[in-house]
């Protein structure tokens, strides 16, 4: 059985294009996750979840999109564990780790094949004066550089595993210690009947995976006055996605200083030879950090300037307002957790958040020279194995988002006519872009807006995303958009068209 699994692993790694590997990875786990969520019983006996909602939640968790069509507190502890595990295996760091191991398996098989060929050559050749080491060093067969690169892939995988485990363990411990130490946060969870350990686990996974799904109905807004909890979550969010290349390079450098390992030194000095998207050069790492921190600083400043005295920050002191704004600024890029009610945010801030959600986590300002070098190297390698079906991913991303918005408006046209205050163009665009960017911030739905137009209509506010009020067709569309958004890195020549020239 183990040999069969290893055979399938090597066969898929070598012969199947990475797009199809990830596509079926997400589809199969998504279906299994949705079935598990349906089988497990919710906490609320009066709540009978529909499959379309559980499929939506499973897709949202696996694609780390953070949108939900059900109230989170109606789910049971076992269901919370399931969607937490979906976020765990769907996070960018975990998926990248699997990709590295697949490439490492492919390189190992290729190396074994070349070594066998070289052995035959050596036996057939009559020149015995040239040693194997001299042949390698002279470049006749496999160069030392190739050996280091292949060895570096294995070490890179191990480093990412250690990185992934470290942040989850330390994050869980830090969150649990905070909950037991700060009585206000502990009482909130006990009042809701949520286990502290389960909440710490689920929140740590959500933050590091940038999943955006929290076990409370209010997301993190209920902890808006617990600034310490929000600050350590910010570190997890950044380490799990947008600043992953920065943290990864720093981790490799620290380990290299202690071990003096040649493969780790190769990663630091020649990251382009490794061909791992998250392993950047010194200059690339610098510009990635400047881009991420610059955007966060700008949106945080804009948020404070526009809404400092508005109801969105009601009841908070100056320090809590700054931390809440910073938390929203960090999460608006990719994570989707919210410390305030997004529906109360000023339109100007919402528009900039839409722009941030549209940009992938890999978007950065690069010098023109380096950008062109990457473009000249990557297309040849990544163009192989792309079929006619996958060429749809090469459509310009703006065009795709526009098409999704138009289709959403067609599907929900009756609601747009009946309830234009909630189903406004801005809210629909915000929801679609949030799903496309795998972010999860949502403007929600307010019954008070509906009753302004139709006072005789009954309506009860629900603590879930705006998409939860859409029709089944609209929910399935958003689920497709979330899956498409998770795979969009394969578009535009492996995402290089996202790079912004500085």
């Amino acid at each position: 059985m183990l040999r069969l699994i290893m055979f399938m692993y090597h066969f898929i790694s070598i012969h199947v294009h990475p797009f199809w590997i990830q596509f079926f990875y997400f589809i199969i786990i998504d279906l299994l996750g949705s079935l598990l969520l349906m089988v497990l019983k919710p906490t609320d006996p009066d709540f009978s979840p529909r499959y379309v909602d559980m499929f939506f939640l499973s897709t949202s968790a696996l694609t780390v999109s953070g949108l939900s069509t059900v109230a989170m507190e109606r789910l049971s502890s076992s269901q919370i564990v399931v969607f937490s595990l979906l976020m765990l295996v769907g996070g960018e760091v975990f998926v990248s780790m699997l990709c590295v191991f697949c490439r490492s398996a492919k390189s190992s098989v290729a190396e074994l094949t070349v070594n066998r060929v070289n052995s035959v050559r050596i036996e057939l050749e009559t020149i015995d004066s040239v040693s194997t080491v001299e042949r390698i060093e002279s470049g006749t067969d496999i160069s030392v550089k190739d050996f280091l690169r292949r060895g570096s892939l294995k070490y890179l995988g191990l480093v990412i595993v250690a990185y992934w485990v470290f942040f989850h363990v330390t994050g869980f411990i830090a969150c649990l210690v905070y909950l037991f130490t700060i009585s206000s946060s502990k009482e909130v969870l006990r009042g809701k009947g949520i286990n502290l350990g389960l909440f710490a686990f689920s929140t740590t996974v959500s933050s590091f995976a940038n999943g955006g799904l929290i076990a409370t109905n209010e997301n993190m807004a209920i902890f808006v006055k617990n600034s310490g909890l929000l600050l350590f979550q910010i570190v997890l969010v950044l380490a799990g996605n947008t600043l992953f290349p920065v943290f990864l390079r720093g981790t490799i450098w620290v380990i290299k200083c202690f071990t003096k390992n040649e493969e780790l030194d190769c990663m630091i000095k020649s990251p382009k030879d490794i061909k791992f998207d998250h392993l950047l050069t010194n200059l690339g790492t610098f510009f990635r950090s400047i881009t991420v921190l610059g955007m966060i600083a700008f949106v945080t400043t804009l948020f404070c300037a526009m809404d400092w005295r508005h109801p969105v920050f009601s009841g908070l002191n100056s320090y809590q307002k700054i931390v809440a704004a910073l938390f929203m600024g960090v999460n608006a890029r990719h994570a989707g957790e919210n410390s305030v009610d997004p529906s109360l945010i000023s339109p100007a801030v919402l528009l900039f958040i839409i722009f941030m959600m549209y940009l992938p986590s890999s978007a950065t300002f690069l010098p023109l020279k380096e950008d062109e070098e990457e473009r000249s190297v990557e297309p040849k390698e990544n163009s192989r194995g792309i079929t006619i079906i996958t060429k749809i991913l090469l459509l310009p991303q703006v065009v795709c988002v526009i098409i999704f918005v138009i289709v959403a408006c067609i599907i929900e046209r009756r609601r747009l006519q009946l309830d234009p205050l909630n189903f406004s163009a801005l809210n629909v665009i915000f929801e679609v872009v949030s799903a496309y960017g795998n972010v999860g911030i949502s403007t929600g739905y307010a019954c008070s807006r509906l009753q302004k137009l139709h006072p005789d209509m009954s309506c009860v506010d629900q603590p879930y995303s705006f998409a939860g009020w859409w029709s089944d067709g609209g929910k399935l569309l958003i689920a497709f958009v979330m899956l498409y958004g998770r795979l969009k890195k394969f578009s535009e020549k492996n995402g290089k068209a996202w790079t912004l020239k500085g």
Side-chain angles (χ1 to χ4, degrees):
M1 185 64 181
L2 181 60
R3 288 184 178 181
L4 178 62
I5 294 175
M6 293 303 298
F7 171 77
M8 293 298 297
Y9 168 69
H10 285 292
F11 180 84
I12 293 173
S13 301
I14 296 170
H15 298 287
V16 183
H17 189 271
F19 167 78
W20 292 114
I21 294 176
Q22 291 200 29
F23 176 78
F24 286 109
Y25 173 83
F26 284 110
I27 291 295
I28 293 172
I29 296 180
D30 190 8
L31 294 175
L32 292 175
S34 62
L35 291 176
L36 271 176
L37 289 172
M38 280 297 296
V39 170
L40 297 173
K41 299 297 182 182
T43 300
D44 188 351
D46 298 327
F47 176 53
S48 299
R50 301 166 60 241
Y51 180 73
V52 65
D53 292 317
M54 292 297 97
F55 175 75
F56 187 100
L57 179 61
S58 176
T59 306
S60 179
L62 185 61
T63 60
V64 291
S65 297
L67 297 174
S68 175
T69 59
V70 297
M72 303 304 290
E73 291 177 20
R74 305 187 79 175
L75 301 176
S76 63
S77 297
S78 55
Q79 288 174 315
I80 293 174
V81 170
V82 169
F83 79 70
S84 298
L85 292 177
L86 288 171
M87 289 189 291
L88 192 73
V89 300
E92 181 62 26
V93 176
F94 187 85
V95 173
S96 298
M97 180 173 63
L98 295 182
C99 292
V100 169
F101 284 124
C102 284
R103 284 187 57 204
S104 178
K106 184 175 182 179
S107 297
S108 297
V109 173
E111 181 181 349
L112 179 62
T113 303
V114 172
N115 286 339
R116 287 176 177 175
V117 173
N118 290 337
S119 298
V120 174
R121 286 179 180 175
I122 292 173
E123 290 178 2
L124 293 177
E125 289 175 354
T126 58
I127 303 175
D128 297 328
S129 58
V130 181
S131 66
T132 304
V133 176
E134 290 173 342
R135 291 168 63 86
I136 292 173
E137 291 179 348
S138 62
T140 305
D141 297 318
I142 306 172
S143 66
V144 175
K145 184 178 180 181
D146 289 333
F147 273 109
L148 285 176
R149 181 176 62 82
R150 289 166 184 165
S152 296
L153 278 176
K154 298 177 183 178
Y155 278 95
L156 178 60
L158 295 176
V159 170
I160 297 176
V161 170
Y163 179 91
W164 183 78
V165 171
F166 171 80
F167 275 101
H168 278 97
V169 172
T170 56
F172 171 75
I173 294 174
C175 184
L176 198 60
V177 169
Y178 185 92
L179 293 176
F180 275 106
T181 303
I182 307 301
S183 58
S184 59
S185 60
K186 180 168 58 177
E187 293 304 320
V188 167
L189 295 176
R190 286 183 174 175
K192 291 177 173 291
I194 300 175
N195 181 271
L196 298 184
L198 178 61
F199 179 83
F201 167 73
S202 178
T203 302
T204 300
V205 171
S206 175
S207 297
F208 187 77
N210 284 206
L213 293 175
I214 302 296
T216 61
N217 288 339
E218 303 87 354
N219 205 277
M220 291 304 297
I222 197 168
F223 299 103
V224 67
K225 294 185 178 181
N226 298 111
S227 300
L229 182 61
L230 299 183
L231 287 173
F232 102 80
Q233 280 187 260
I234 286 174
V235 176
L236 289 176
V237 168
L238 294 175
N241 201 308
T242 51
L243 286 184
F244 174 43
V246 180
F247 281 81
L248 178 62
R249 190 171 178 82
T251 302
I252 294 172
W253 182 83
V254 170
I255 298 176
K256 181 192 72 96
C257 290
F258 285 99
T259 62
K260 308 296 182 182
N261 185 277
E262 291 184 1
E263 284 81 2
L264 296 178
D265 190 56
C266 177
M267 293 184 213
I268 295 294
K269 294 181 178 179
S270 304
K272 290 184 180 180
D273 293 335
I274 310 301
K275 295 180 181 178
F276 179 60
D277 292 340
H278 298 291
L279 190 60
L280 306 177
T281 62
N282 283 330
L283 189 61
T285 305
F286 172 75
F287 277 94
R288 172 66 66 85
S289 60
I290 291 298
T291 302
V292 173
L293 298 178
M295 284 189 176
I296 293 173
F298 182 84
V299 72
T300 302
T301 303
L302 179 65
F303 192 12
C304 290
M306 297 296 298
D307 293 320
W308 189 260
R309 299 185 183 278
H310 287 190
V312 67
F313 287 135
S314 178
L316 304 180
N317 58 38
S318 298
Y319 173 70
Q320 291 168 344
K321 289 180 181 180
I322 293 173
V323 173
L326 177 63
F327 187 84
M328 287 299 296
V330 170
N331 282 269
R333 183 71 189 277
H334 201 271
E337 296 174 1
N338 56 274
S339 55
V340 296
D341 184 355
S343 64
L344 301 177
I345 299 176
S346 299
V349 182
L350 287 178
L351 287 173
F352 189 76
I353 289 177
I354 290 177
F355 169 72
M356 291 182 67
M357 293 191 300
Y358 173 76
L359 291 177
S361 58
S362 59
T364 184
F365 291 97
L366 283 176
L368 182 60
K369 182 178 179 181
E370 182 168 343
D371 183 30
E372 289 177 345
E373 287 177 357
E374 290 184 0
R375 287 172 182 268
S376 64
V377 173
E378 294 294 337
K380 293 181 181 179
E381 180 179 343
N382 291 311
S383 60
R384 295 177 297 177
I386 298 294
T387 64
I388 296 176
I389 299 176
T390 59
K391 285 183 179 179
I392 189 174
L393 287 170
L394 300 180
L395 286 173
Q397 300 304 299
V398 175
V399 174
C400 293
V401 173
I402 292 174
I403 292 174
F404 293 144
V405 171
I406 292 173
V407 174
C409 290
I410 293 174
I411 294 175
E412 304 300 332
R413 58 188 180 277
R414 292 184 179 179
R415 287 176 171 81
L416 265 71
Q417 295 174 354
L418 178 67
D419 189 9
L421 294 181
N422 280 303
F423 282 83
S424 63
L426 177 61
N427 288 347
V428 172
I429 293 172
F430 195 96
E431 199 78 0
V432 170
V433 175
S434 181
Y436 165 81
N438 303 127
V439 181
I441 296 178
S442 177
T443 55
Y445 186 96
C447 289
S448 58
R449 297 173 187 164
L450 174 64
Q451 292 172 339
K452 284 183 180 178
L453 300 175
H454 307 281
D456 56 328
M457 294 188 68
S458 60
C459 179
V460 179
D461 287 322
Q462 296 293 340
Y464 44 67
S465 304
F466 179 43
W469 296 85
W470 293 25
S471 63
D472 289 349
K475 292 176 182 178
L476 292 176
L477 172 66
I478 293 297
F480 173 79
V481 174
M482 290 188 290
L483 180 61
Y484 177 89
R486 193 66 180 86
L487 297 171
K488 64 178 177 287
K489 63 182 178 181
F490 290 99
S491 65
E492 298 292 345
K493 298 177 182 178
N494 200 29
K496 294 301 175 184
W498 292 106
T499 304
L500 304 176
K501 296 180 182 180

